[in-house]
Amino acid sequence: MIDRSHGGNIWKYPKSSRRIIVDFSVNTNLLGMAQKIKNSIVRNVSKIGYYPDPESKYLKNSLAKLHRLSSHNFLVGNGSIELIHLIPRALKAKVVLVPIPTFSEYEFAVRANNAKCLFVKSTEKNNFKIDISRLMQHIPKADLVFLCNPNNPTGSALERQEILSLLKTCKKCNVTLVIDEAFMDFVDQKNRIAMDVESAKTKNLLVLRSLTKFFVLPGIRIGYVIGHKDTINKLARHTYPWNVNTIAQIIAQEAVNDKEYIARTQSIIPAEKRYLYDNLNKIRGVRVYPSSANFFLCKLKDVRIKNAANLSEKLIERGILIRNCDNFRGLNDRFFRIAVKNREANIKLISALRDILE
Amino acid sequence: MIDRSHGGNIWKYPKSSRRIIVDFSVNTNLLGMAQKIKNSIVRNVSKIGYYPDPESKYLKNSLAKLHRLSSHNFLVGNGSIELIHLIPRALKAKVVLVPIPTFSEYEFAVRANNAKCLFVKSTEKNNFKIDISRLMQHIPKADLVFLCNPNNPTGSALERQEILSLLKTCKKCNVTLVIDEAFMDFVDQKNRIAMDVESAKTKNLLVLRSLTKFFVLPGIRIGYVIGHKDTINKLARHTYPWNVNTIAQIIAQEAVNDKEYIARTQSIIPAEKRYLYDNLNKIRGVRVYPSSANFFLCKLKDVRIKNAANLSEKLIERGILIRNCDNFRGLNDRFFRIAVKNREANIKLISALRDILE
């Protein structure tokens, strides 16, 4: 039995304990859901009595405006995870290249379609940065590549030149490159290498985006894929009507236009990231890896603690959830992931870790 | 280009006209969404900030209680339409038997999986009732059957003995029978032939249920399939985490336990159905077919009106939407479908039809 669990699953804890939990296991924006969005849902409750726009046409128009592309470059999904499962199926992939450690659902999506995964492992000594030249060597054997940039759970990001080389090799070998940019909006502006515009021009490049993480909407399910019109059409043939619910369609359009929330997030995160990184670094029992995203991969160095599961248990007793990474292929039972939260929560975590490890 | 449109699509009309529309094209409960449900959504808005229960375990427990079965007999979907598309894929169906006219997504689901449909047509002179003995003759050629009971858009229902004979033949031929009971809750108690309990015991029987129609929740996407544990497990391997959103999970549990709303619906519908049927029957230009569900299939007899599309246009001018059935395989351009609404709306429709046709 494979452990397919993810972060952010408050449902596995008893109801009585849910209130006190500070959830570092979920990689969402530390600001929480915007009040504007909550108000909009309340205002639009009656719309649940109507079928959604069957193919999310209105939302696609909004996304097109946002990315300065055309609405035919978009397909909207019931969370980007629906699209992760749809892409290998629609493109009839047989062998899929997956650099690991990474988000585990790429593997599950591939296997549900009876296709094979080819894993290329990043090394700890290289801070788990994806080795592009090694990855490229394997491309001729594959027909699809899943690349998470910045990568979950490692936080490592690729440079423009690396992505372009990879894309060039993919083109030559007729391989589709899928870049999952779920955490791209959290990257500092100067290091943000988004491939949205490129994907609209390139038949074998797809870019996945999620509104879950940045706008804190995991409960309502909304993600999308950007690509060339022909590739998007191929994918669309495998969807069903009304896959995106009415509330998701309405609030997604409001969220992406909330310039104030976007700016506030991008101004607050660097300081909190820096604070968390510096303080995690000072704890002798923990190794923290550099990250371009809003979370950190950590390794438990303190040998007195059996493993990350054990550390998680000790933190739960203190009302803190972290993401034990022992079910990530390519990591072992000493790794865990921590999301950047607000100062108060970050202080609580640092102090609890110190308590346990020092 | 196939016309894949469905009823209830208010989004294709300009915003300015949406307010005045009485929508007879959508087959939902005439009571509208319960106020209790609206209040519950408002109360739970903040839960959108949390990931849903990944496999809808809590909801499955509620459904198990409701149907007096076990939670392992359930799989919950992003609307039952997600499950309609999932079933032929997960069961690797090659040839699927579909009695027509019926809900068009069975065909689209089959084709998206590169499988073939075998259509068995019901005849107009038999009020479009499915001819079970003809259907059974074709079962040896198929590996899956999609049966909508009561059927959309005809409203015709099968008797227990007919379903059991069909199931027996399916078992003998190792064919899976999928019964879509989306409208079963609208059937009079004494004629309600639900196969939920049977499906839990029978590996080759699946029963689809939707909360959309009865509880008027089309915008939030919630449906489920009931079956034998082994068959459900086979289907579950092809789903992805969080396919059912948090709000859908919460309100579904409340809806199915709202005894007062259920009773009120079941007491009000027979009278409104009778009223609508009798009055439609009195209009010379229309033939109305008997129905076990909360809608009526009608045929335009008046030759002065070109077709149902033309009639629809004339009704839209009066703020009334009906479902033009010309894109249902097995019907022609003279058929349309009307949902049973409340008295005020029904009067409005009857008077508009009289106006146009008499």
Side-chain angles (χ1 to χ4, degrees), chain A residues 188-355:
Chain A
D188 292 343
Q189 192 112 34
K190 65 180 194 306
N191 297 316
R192 204 178 300 152
I193 311 297
M195 296 299 280
D196 50 346
V197 174
E198 191 72 23
S199 76
K201 296 183 284 189
T202 316
K203 284 196 188 185
N204 69 322
L205 175 62
L206 289 167
V207 167
L208 283 163
R209 286 292 181 100
S210 162
L211 301 184
T212 293
K213 317 293 180 180
F214 196 84
F215 296 101
V216 198
L217 305 171
I220 204 66
R221 316 310 302 132
I222 186 95
Y224 56 99
V225 57
I226 316 172
H228 186 279
K229 187 186 170 188
D230 295 353
T231 318
I232 292 294
N233 278 343
K234 248 189 225 180
L235 302 181
R237 263 175 245 140
H238 291 258
T239 56
Y240 51 90
W242 315 301
N243 66 324
V244 180
N245 70 73
T246 306
I247 294 296
Q249 289 178 347
I250 292 169
I251 64 180
Q253 292 178 68
E254 297 189 16
V256 298
N257 288 313
D258 192 347
K259 305 292 176 223
E260 188 266 330
Y261 180 87
I262 295 169
R264 196 148 51 97
T265 304
Q266 287 169 345
S267 81
I268 201 173
I269 284 194
E272 287 313 312
K273 254 185 86 172
R274 172 54 54 195
Y275 176 86
L276 195 57
Y277 183 81
D278 288 348
N279 281 283
L280 284 169
N281 239 339
K282 283 182 202 151
I283 299 172
R284 261 167 306 161
V286 170
R287 177 173 175 190
V288 52
Y289 296 87
S291 169
S292 296
N294 61 326
F295 52 81
F296 290 106
L297 179 68
C298 301
K299 189 178 185 181
L300 184 63
K301 289 193 301 182
D302 189 331
V303 290
R304 295 168 308 173
I305 312 283
K306 202 178 146 210
N307 51 33
N310 195 228
L311 177 66
S312 297
E313 280 163 28
K314 288 180 192 294
L315 285 167
I316 285 172
E317 286 165 18
R318 289 162 169 86
I320 293 172
L321 280 187
I322 59 170
R323 172 70 158 98
N324 170 10
C325 291
D326 65 1
N327 70 340
F328 276 94
R329 191 183 283 276
L331 293 180
N332 63 35
D333 68 356
R334 302 198 69 76
F335 288 90
F336 57 99
R337 193 191 64 199
I338 283 170
V340 177
K341 298 280 153 189
N342 63 30
R343 184 63 55 100
E344 188 192 359
N346 293 339
I347 289 173
K348 194 175 173 191
L349 171 73
I350 294 292
S351 125
L353 281 174
R354 272 195 199 126
D355 225 41

Side-chain angles (χ1 to χ4, degrees), chain B residues 300-306 334:
Chain B
L300 184 63
K301 288 195 300 180
D302 189 331
V303 289
R304 294 169 308 174
I305 312 283
K306 202 179 146 207
R334 301 198 70 76

Side-chain angles (χ1 to χ4, degrees), chain A residues 18-32:
Chain A
R18 275 182 214 156
R19 275 167 201 283
I20 52 145
I21 282 173
V22 187
D23 190 357
F24 285 87
S25 81
V26 67
N27 291 333
T28 50
N29 191 333
L30 61 89
L31 288 182

Side-chain angles (χ1 to χ4, degrees), chain B residues 161-185:
Chain B
Q161 209 37 61
E162 293 177 309
I163 297 175
L164 291 178
S165 305
L166 187 62
L167 183 57
K168 202 173 152 192
T169 310
C170 284
K171 268 188 196 167
K172 215 172 62 189
C173 301
N174 199 22
V175 169
T176 302
L177 175 60
V178 183
I179 307 182
D180 185 348
E181 296 186 348
F183 298 98
M184 189 56 83
D185 291 328

Side-chain angles (χ1 to χ4, degrees), chain A residues 85-258:
Chain A
H85 280 251
L86 184 144
I87 290 168
R89 183 165 84 241
L91 301 184
K92 298 181 176 54
K94 296 265 177 293
V95 181
V96 181
L97 200 57
V98 181
I100 54 165
T102 195
F103 186 46
S104 54
E105 286 295 326
Y106 308 139
E107 175 179 351
F108 293 118
V110 170
R111 297 201 322 193
N113 291 299
N114 292 315
K116 267 185 200 162
C117 279
L118 240 176
F119 299 111
V120 178
K121 208 175 153 181
S122 309
T123 60
E124 194 178 335
K125 69 162 195 257
N126 204 13
N127 283 339
F128 294 108
K129 189 169 186 308
I130 293 168
D131 181 340
I132 282 289
S133 59
R134 270 191 60 229
L135 192 62
M136 288 203 287
Q137 286 165 21
H138 291 87
I139 284 177
K141 289 177 254 175
D143 36 36
L144 193 83
V145 184
F146 267 119
L147 187 77
C148 189
N149 189 43
N151 189 32
N152 176 10
T154 63
S156 77
L158 292 172
E159 282 151 40
R160 178 170 296 277
Q161 209 38 59
E162 292 176 310
I163 298 176
L164 291 178
S165 304
L166 187 61
L167 183 57
K168 201 173 154 192
T169 310
C170 284
K171 268 188 196 167
K172 215 173 60 188
C173 301
N174 199 23
V175 169
T176 303
L177 175 61
V178 183
I179 307 182
D180 185 347
E181 296 185 348
F183 298 97
M184 190 54 83
D185 290 329
F186 291 110
V187 179
D188 292 343
Q189 192 112 34
K190 65 180 194 306
N191 297 316
R192 204 178 300 152
I193 311 297
M195 296 299 280
D196 50 346
V197 174
E198 191 72 23
S199 76
K201 296 183 284 189
T202 316
K203 284 196 188 185
N204 69 322
L205 175 62
L206 289 167
V207 167
L208 283 163
R209 286 292 181 100
S210 162
L211 301 184
T212 293
K213 317 293 180 180
F214 196 84
F215 296 101
V216 198
L217 305 171
I220 204 66
R221 316 310 302 132
I222 186 95
Y224 56 99
V225 57
I226 316 172
H228 186 279
K229 187 186 170 188
D230 295 353
T231 318
I232 292 294
N233 278 343
K234 248 189 225 180
L235 302 181
R237 263 175 245 140
H238 291 258
T239 56
Y240 51 90
W242 315 301
N243 66 324
V244 180
N245 70 73
T246 306
I247 294 296
Q249 289 178 347
I250 292 169
I251 64 180
Q253 292 178 68
E254 297 189 16
V256 298
N257 288 313
D258 192 347

